[in-house]
Amino acid sequence: MPITDSKELAPAPSSASTGKFRQLLESAPDSIVVVDQGGKITLANGMTEKNFGYRTDELIGQSIEILVPERFRDKHVHHRDGYFHHPSTRPMGTGIELTARRKDGSEFPAEISISPLMTEDGLLVTAVVRDITERKETQKALQQHANELERSNAELEQFAYVASHDLQEPLRIVASYTQLLARRYKDKLDSDANEFIEFIVDGATRMQNLINDLLSYSRVGTRGQEFESNDLNKILETVINTLDLRIKDSTATVTHDSLPTLPTDGRQMLQLFQNLIGNALKFQSDSSPVVHIGVVQLADEYLFSVRDNGIGIDSQYAERIFQVFQRLHGKGEYPGTGIGLAICKKIVERHGGRIWVESSPGTGSTFYFTLPISQGDS
Ligand code: ADP
């Protein structure tokens, strides 16, 4: 018989060590079965009795296929023959998973490790069989949980999209007719009516803004584009040009490191930088804004930062500000709806990264986010 891998064959234990060997077998936490070239069981430990329901004397001399469900037996004989022609050690964790069969016909998933053993009587094979029922059940439960989460996320996203999209039309009618009402009947009714009309127009406009923002938020997931290689310097230049007027008006200084080229959704990168730099310019006290966009390369990702010298954020709000419609200021103080950072978070996470802020009131803020060096759309 051709044995191609003889260097891997372990010698059989000497008679002096047989007792110890037996003890070792019996204390093993897994079933251990030794099989000869004909596929007959020559040795089985106590754990085999326990796991498979056979007494050892019922197993010795039987074909190893007794421990395999009927439907897999022919295939198993074939694999076994192949193994004896090319024996090699295959340790646990190398992916041999089989279904094992107990004496009563019930089955359980098993992980198997096998190793050849050269003896005076020829080549034997030791198989260690581990019952992985629990592990499989945990894996299955985790997978089900992940599927369920993915499904409900997609459903929520779709819901937010449809709701905000469909709400736009009736709201447009409410807003435009109240504006018309305001124009045509202002000062023709009493002063209370003037005030009421103002409230309605203001409320309708605010609701329009919120719904538009919600729509942009849900579009990050549902209307994202394929990732393409994008030079982030170019994207940043476009953002700086778009914000030019605000930069000049506030006498701001905006500088940046040289940014990398990465596989990204270009439109979303534009949104990300625009929201972060827009906020850095907006949340200022009296001084001229000084904003720097930095980047450092780490092991498998880039770490970006957008630093400002603005009003800063109390650390207790560091997570809350990334939630939808969460703001720390009234709209009279600083304009906005509170969607910008939620969109940033969604964009960064869609790209496989993380986003956070480090800041304290009065000392400015630095928003950090990471982007993996190589990535796929998740
Ligand atoms: P918006 O700008 O419309 O308020 P965002 O989601 O962009 O919404 O920001 C949420 C809140 O986080 C802001 O209202 C503000 O309180 C805080 N914030 C964001 N960026 C900064 C910044 N650069 N400096 C200080 N506070 C900030």
Side-chain angles (χ1 to χ4, degrees):
M1 189 195 70
I3 295 178
T4 54
D5 221 354
S6 56
K7 62 181 180 302
E8 291 204 43
L9 301 185
S14 71
S15 55
S17 57
T18 306
K20 280 229 169 80
F21 177 65
R22 190 76 231 176
Q23 257 182 350
L24 205 74
L25 272 184
E26 291 313 320
S27 63
D30 298 314
S31 305
I32 299 178
V33 185
V34 178
V35 176
D36 68 14
Q37 285 183 43
K40 296 274 179 282
I41 299 171
T42 62
L43 191 147
N45 70 347
M47 214 45 183
T48 313
E49 288 193 335
K50 190 161 172 260
N51 282 343
F52 286 87
Y54 289 102
R55 289 194 319 274
T56 302
D57 63 283
E58 288 178 304
L59 287 172
I60 304 298
Q62 292 292 331
S63 153
I64 181 73
E65 276 74 36
I66 192 176
L67 304 180
V68 176
E70 282 94 336
R71 63 188 183 285
F72 298 133
R73 282 183 186 167
D74 287 350
K75 220 173 173 181
H76 192 266
V77 171
H78 185 70
H79 283 315
R80 171 160 62 72
D81 280 349
Y83 181 81
F84 271 97
H85 279 81
H86 300 284
S88 62
T89 299
R90 300 185 196 164
M92 282 286 175
T94 48
I96 317 180
E97 287 187 12
L98 295 175
T99 306
R101 181 187 187 280
R102 297 189 188 90
K103 185 178 178 182
D104 64 9
S106 60
E107 298 178 359
F108 63 92
E111 186 181 6
I112 321 269
S113 82
I114 39 182
S115 49
L117 184 75
M118 187 45 102
T119 70
E120 291 159 358
D121 308 325
L123 180 64
L124 299 178
V125 168
T126 309
V128 179
V129 183
R130 180 169 298 169
D131 185 340
I132 54 168
T133 306
E134 229 170 86
R135 192 208 298 172
K136 283 272 169 201
E137 272 166 11
T138 313
Q139 272 172 359
K140 201 167 140 201
L142 272 175
Q143 189 55 46
Q144 269 174 354
H145 194 61
N147 291 348
E148 179 54 26
L149 259 179
E150 200 175 314
R151 194 196 56 73
S152 73
N153 263 345
E155 214 173 81
L156 257 178
E157 211 155 65
Q158 194 58 23
F159 171 77
Y161 178 75
V162 171
S164 42
H165 185 264
D166 290 5
L167 281 173
Q168 268 189 329
E169 185 48 29
L171 194 61
R172 199 174 295 136
I173 295 174
V174 173
S176 51
Y177 277 94
T178 42
Q179 276 158 8
L180 191 68
L181 204 67
R183 273 205 305 277
R184 213 177 271 180
Y185 295 98
K186 192 164 173 11
D187 300 328
K188 291 198 176 128
L189 306 168
D190 63 16
S191 64
D192 272 358
N194 277 349
E195 205 180 30
F196 297 164
I197 290 175
E198 243 173 63
F199 288 153
I200 299 174
V201 172
D202 185 49
T205 316
R206 253 181 30 224
M207 205 193 274
Q208 264 184 323
N209 290 340
L210 290 177
I211 283 181
N212 280 338
D213 284 350
L214 210 53
L215 200 58
S216 323
Y217 178 74
S218 70
R219 276 189 174 134
V220 175
T222 56
R223 301 291 186 274
Q225 294 177 332
E226 295 259 313
F227 291 176
E228 285 173 4
S229 180
N230 278 306
D231 179 353
L232 297 180
N233 292 299
K234 287 202 181 124
I235 289 181
L236 189 57
E237 287 307 328
T238 310
V239 171
I240 292 174
N241 282 338
T242 313
L243 296 172
D244 190 49
L245 215 66
R246 282 175 61 190
I247 294 174
K248 288 202 173 111
D249 276 356
S250 57
T251 60
T253 315
V254 180
T255 54
H256 67 90
D257 293 350
S258 171
L259 303 187
T261 294
L262 285 178
T264 44
D265 178 333
R267 228 168 41 196
Q268 293 190 346
M269 285 299 113
L270 206 96
Q271 246 182 319
L272 174 66
F273 280 112
Q274 186 153 335
N275 286 349
L276 292 178
I277 299 170
N279 279 350
L281 297 173
K282 179 164 68 172
F283 293 101
Q284 285 288 334
S285 41
D286 298 328
S287 46
S288 296
V290 178
V291 183
H292 180 75
I293 299 98
V295 67
V296 285
Q297 184 172 351
L298 305 177
D300 49 7
E301 60 188 7
Y302 281 101
L303 174 63
F304 294 84
S305 54
V306 178
R307 190 182 67 225
D308 66 49
N309 60 337
I311 58 172
I313 300 162
D314 195 321
S315 61
Q316 63 171 315
Y317 303 120
E319 290 194 10
R320 203 174 97 185
I321 54 171
F322 291 97
Q323 290 170 17
V324 175
F325 299 144
Q326 293 294 328
R327 318 196 62 230
L328 306 179
H329 308 276
K331 67 182 166 55
E333 228 177 328
Y334 295 99
T337 56
I339 200 82
L341 290 179
I343 289 181
C344 291
K345 183 167 191 280
K346 217 167 171 201
I347 291 175
V348 169
E349 286 175 356
R350 180 174 173 240
H351 285 76
R354 292 159 288 125
I355 186 167
W356 69 97
V357 65
E358 282 174 17
S359 176
S360 54
T363 62
S365 314
T366 306
F367 283 81
Y368 291 97
F369 65 91
T370 61
L371 292 178
I373 287 173
S374 63
Q375 55 187 248
D377 193 349
S378 51

